[in-house]
Amino acid sequence: MIRREEVYRIGKLGKAHGIKGELSMMIDDDVFDRVDAEYLVLEVDGIMVPFFMEEYRFKTDDTVLVKFDGVDTQERARELTGTEVFFPRELADETESDDLSYARLVGFTLLNAADNAAVGTISAIDTQTINIMFELADGTLIPASEELITDIDTENNTITMTIPDGILEL
């Protein structure tokens, strides 16, 4: 069984495309194009389920058309519309750390470089503005500036940052 902490969110399935089961997928991270993966993980009824890909192609920079094994009709594809798409952390860890995307950091524990204390768990990445923010599980927003990041440990799923004075009191 695949556990949520073994994967991270990379996008969401959109509408069926055509009549042979192909789906559009809006992506936040193109890791599956950089890392050789045979499957993606979909959250179906709260359960993480692997779906093997027959093929995929980029429609735009952030939209992919994907065909999964066993999804051969437009009706079956429609059943998956709106489903969250995840990528196995194990496969993503095989890439160079320079290739880490912000989406990959969801689920990491954020540590304060000043005292190495845990600040919280990154639950989402806010990309709505030019200033990308880490959203912690308690709703706290921390600037995701590369200049503030001092270490990323993919083995322990931690990210150490120099957190600006006063930001945790907001």
Side-chain angles (χ1 to χ4, degrees):
M1 174 154 73
I2 299 171
R3 296 185 327 254
R4 183 175 277 282
E5 55 272 5
E6 295 173 335
V7 296
Y8 70 99
R9 185 185 181 283
I10 62 167
K12 188 174 190 175
L13 293 177
K15 296 180 182 180
H17 183 82
I19 60 170
K20 296 188 179 183
E22 199 171 42
L23 286 147
S24 64
M25 178 173 60
M26 289 68 67
I27 58 171
D28 304 322
D29 186 322
D30 67 346
V31 68
F32 69 93
D33 193 43
R34 292 181 279 120
V35 177
D36 193 25
E38 296 178 358
Y39 67 95
L40 296 174
V41 178
L42 305 183
E43 185 173 20
V44 179
D45 296 328
I47 299 170
M48 304 309 254
V49 181
F51 276 75
F52 288 84
M53 294 181 288
E54 284 182 18
E55 62 184 0
Y56 68 89
R57 65 186 189 278
F58 281 85
K59 184 175 179 182
T60 66
D61 287 345
D62 57 0
T63 304
V64 176
L65 299 176
V66 63
K67 172 73 175 77
F68 292 113
D69 285 342
V71 180
D72 298 320
T73 65
Q74 188 177 38
E75 292 76 29
R76 177 65 180 121
R78 280 190 192 132
E79 292 173 8
L80 296 173
T81 297
T83 302
E84 300 285 331
V85 180
F86 298 83
F87 194 82
R89 286 187 189 275
E90 177 181 295
L91 295 177
D93 288 344
E94 295 172 4
T95 66
E96 296 290 323
S97 61
D98 291 344
D99 292 338
L100 279 177
S101 67
Y102 282 117
R104 167 71 174 87
L105 299 176
V106 171
F108 275 43
T109 299
L110 182 64
L111 303 175
N112 189 342
D115 57 7
N116 215 32
V119 175
T121 301
I122 299 171
S123 62
I125 307 296
D126 183 346
T127 59
Q128 300 300 313
T129 65
I130 195 165
N131 298 318
I132 298 172
M133 306 288 274
F134 291 136
E135 184 175 336
L136 302 183
D138 67 1
T140 302
L141 295 173
I142 306 288
S145 172
E146 290 182 23
E147 292 82 32
L148 299 176
I149 297 172
T150 59
D151 184 53
I152 298 174
D153 182 348
T154 57
E155 283 186 34
N156 295 309
N157 287 346
T158 61
I159 180 168
T160 305
M161 292 183 67
T162 302
I163 298 175
D165 290 335
I167 204 157
L168 296 176
E169 285 80 40
L170 295 177

